[in-house]
């Protein structure tokens, strides 16, 4: 008998190479927005600072630290405008999935209920999902807004409640220790850390940040799920 009944996938840097395909231009636009709001540094200095901070902090924290480091007379505007640009990137009409992820979705869907649990701008996340053509693989898609305090644990609880199974029968899969892993652990789910993207190097801050499994390629997920 399978250990899990439901699998919850993150989107960015778990199914989509967001760091490689979308982040470079989004970062540039975010830094340009801060410079337009009076940030006292060069574009290259801003980009370098963002890259250095990316592993350990959310982008609200990153842009706040950059503003504090270099200064501006419009701190609030600089942070707001940077976040708007970063979380609303230009999304092409078609995007590729990370290698092996389509094969995983097709194979795992035969045995598990699959859910997509992602955070960010609703419009931007919808565009990414459509560009990847993956809607049909998931029983339900959750798009959460971290700017109003939403976290993934609310989606995980809804999955467990709607599917009528125990928390430990849910596996949360994603690339952020402070999100998919922490929020999954907080409800009693098992967790699988996908070590990929610009947040690789993020360090555990609390006991719930330690995953049950760690993988770096999609081909390893089949073994975690027992197929």
């Amino acid at each position: 008998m399978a250990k899990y009944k439901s699998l919850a996938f993150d989107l960015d840097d778990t199914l989509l190479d967001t760091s490689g395909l979308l982040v470079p231009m989004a970062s540039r636009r975010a830094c340009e927005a801060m410079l337009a709001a009076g940030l006292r540094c060069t574009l290259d200095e801003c980009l370098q600072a963002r890259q250095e901070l990316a592993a350990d902090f959310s982008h609200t924290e990153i842009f706040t630290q950059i503003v504090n480091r270099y200064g501006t007379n419009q701190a609030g505007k600089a942070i707001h405008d940077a976040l708007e640009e970063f979380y609303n990137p230009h999304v092409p009409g078609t995007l590729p999935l990370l290698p092996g992820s389509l094969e995983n979705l097709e194979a795992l869907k035969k045995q598990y209920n699959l859910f997509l649990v992602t955070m960010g701008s609703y419009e931007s996340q919808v565009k990414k999902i459509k560009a990847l053509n993956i809607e049909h693989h998931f029983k339900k898609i959750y798009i959460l807004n971290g700017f109003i305090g939403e976290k993934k644990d609310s989606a995980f609880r809804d999955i467990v409640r709607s599917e009528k199974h125990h928390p430990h029968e849910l596996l949360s899969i994603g690339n952020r220790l402070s999100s998919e892993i922490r929020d999954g652990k907080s409800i009693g789910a098992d967790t699988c850390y996908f070590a990929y993207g610009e947040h690789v190097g993020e360090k555990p801050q609390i006991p719930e940040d330690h995953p049950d499994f760690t993988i770096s390629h999609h081909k390893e997920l089949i073994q975690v799920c027992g197929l």
Side-chain angles (χ1 to χ4, degrees), residues 68-79:
N68 290 339
R69 180 185 302 183
Y70 294 110
T72 173
N73 292 329
Q74 301 183 85
K77 176 176 172 54
I79 295 166

Side-chain angles (χ1 to χ4, degrees), residues 33-203:
M34 286 195 287
L35 292 171
L39 188 69
R40 302 184 187 100
C41 67
T42 66
L43 177 59
D44 286 344
E45 287 172 332
C46 181
L47 290 169
Q48 181 63 33
R50 193 213 66 85
Q51 185 174 355
E52 291 171 355
L53 296 167
D56 294 317
F57 300 100
S58 71
H59 275 86
T60 299
E61 295 168 319
I62 289 170
F63 296 139
T64 299
Q65 288 197 34
I66 291 173
V67 164
N68 290 339
R69 180 185 302 183
Y70 294 110
T72 173
N73 292 329
Q74 301 183 85
K77 176 176 172 54
I79 295 166
H80 172 272
D81 291 355
L83 290 169
E84 282 290 315
E85 292 293 341
F86 189 83
Y87 285 109
N88 291 281
H90 169 70
V91 179
T94 302
L95 285 168
L97 286 159
L98 278 167
S101 55
L102 178 59
E103 293 83 354
N104 273 349
L105 293 176
E106 291 176 341
L108 294 169
K109 187 169 64 172
K110 296 175 183 177
Q111 186 162 341
Y112 305 98
N113 294 314
L114 304 188
F115 297 88
L116 185 64
V117 183
T118 182
M119 294 187 71
S121 160
Y122 181 85
E123 293 79 8
S124 178
Q125 299 307 91
V126 166
K127 288 178 182 178
K128 294 174 189 176
I129 293 165
K130 289 183 176 179
L132 291 166
N133 190 29
I134 55 174
E135 303 98 310
H136 58 286
H137 290 292
F138 300 101
K139 188 170 184 178
K140 186 172 181 179
I141 293 174
Y142 298 83
I143 300 176
L144 304 170
N145 185 349
F147 294 114
I148 61 173
E150 292 181 336
K151 299 199 310 182
K152 292 194 173 184
D153 58 350
S154 62
F156 298 151
R157 288 192 178 91
D158 189 66
I159 292 169
V160 170
R161 181 170 55 249
S162 63
E163 296 304 310
K164 297 180 174 58
H165 58 60
H166 298 292
H168 67 262
E169 293 175 308
L170 169 66
L171 179 67
S172 169
I173 305 153
N175 73 307
R176 293 304 306 274
L177 298 178
S178 57
S179 183
E180 295 83 43
I181 306 308
R182 182 183 301 176
D183 290 352
K185 284 291 184 184
S186 73
I187 73 144
D190 274 10
T191 59
C192 179
Y193 173 56
F194 187 66
Y196 187 86
E198 67 174 359
H199 296 293
V200 168
E202 181 182 16
K203 297 177 177 58

Side-chain angles (χ1 to χ4, degrees), residues 207-218:
E208 288 77 12
D209 291 353
H210 293 274
D212 296 286
F213 308 98
T214 296
I215 62 174
S216 55
H217 302 283
H218 270 276

